[in-house]
Amino acid sequence: MNDPERAMLLSVHPRFATAILAGSKTVEVRRQRVAAPPGTPVLLYATAPTMALVGMARIASVHVGSPKEVWSAHRAQTGITQREYDAYMDGAIQASGLTLEDPVPFDEPVPLSALRAAGTFHPPQSYRYLRSADLRQVSEAGPAVGSALRKVLPDAVHA
């Protein structure tokens, strides 16, 4: 069952954030096992040079396997070439393919400076989970984020 007060904060390169929010990239790959149930909200943090929360999506499913298995199952949805994938996965034993659905771009991206002004905020290298206190802080940093989060996690944002 999905934790009603938890979301994932996922750091992605700006080009991938744009593709996810446009719906052309539906699988995000990671070098480690990701254990997030379907339905988990995902906040998309676009790394430099954007450095902002740009939108959100929901996890539809997570496929954990060897890098070869994840590529074979999802290559057409990853938005990257096999060369990029192989370079990223070099040395990895496990991989995860996060199938994302319901992408929602924020009308106003929330810059890192605003997120830090609202409290202690550190974008993750790959991903991390946000609990209710973190979610309240993030929702206070940007009205678009707060509005989107209230739709999917009302208890966490209002608590």
Side-chain angles (χ1 to χ4, degrees):
M1 186 70 185
N2 190 20
D3 180 344
E5 295 189 357
R6 186 170 88 159
M8 179 183 281
L9 175 61
L10 191 64
S11 290
V12 294
H13 289 285
R15 92 176 219 233
F16 300 136
T18 299
I20 290 167
L21 295 171
S24 60
K25 175 179 172 62
T26 57
V27 174
E28 177 63 18
V29 292
R30 294 293 141 148
R31 291 174 46 94
Q32 66 273 0
R33 182 180 185 277
V34 175
T40 299
V42 176
L43 288 170
L44 297 170
Y45 177 80
T47 59
T50 305
M51 298 177 14
L53 283 178
V54 295
M56 62 187 295
R58 231 179 234 288
I59 292 178
S61 64
V62 177
H63 176 187
V64 178
S66 71
K68 185 177 180 179
E69 290 168 341
V70 171
W71 178 254
S72 293
H74 302 288
R75 64 178 156 248
Q77 294 85 36
T78 63
I80 59 176
T81 66
Q82 184 162 6
R83 178 176 288 179
E84 289 173 303
Y85 182 83
D86 290 344
Y88 175 65
M89 289 293 170
D90 187 42
I93 297 166
Q94 242 184 0
S96 294
L98 287 71
T99 299
L100 302 173
E101 63 185 3
D102 304 326
V104 177
F106 295 147
D107 293 335
E108 296 282 328
V110 183
L112 180 58
S113 58
L115 293 162
R116 288 193 168 148
T120 306
F121 181 87
H122 301 287
Q125 184 71 28
S126 179
Y127 73 94
R128 72 179 169 99
Y129 294 105
L130 299 175
R131 300 233 178 248
S132 55
D134 300 315
L135 292 166
R136 280 194 299 277
Q137 175 188 321
V138 167
S139 69
E140 289 167 6
V145 179
S147 175
L149 280 174
R150 277 189 288 282
K151 291 176 185 172
V152 296
L153 295 168
D155 294 338
V157 177
H158 290 303

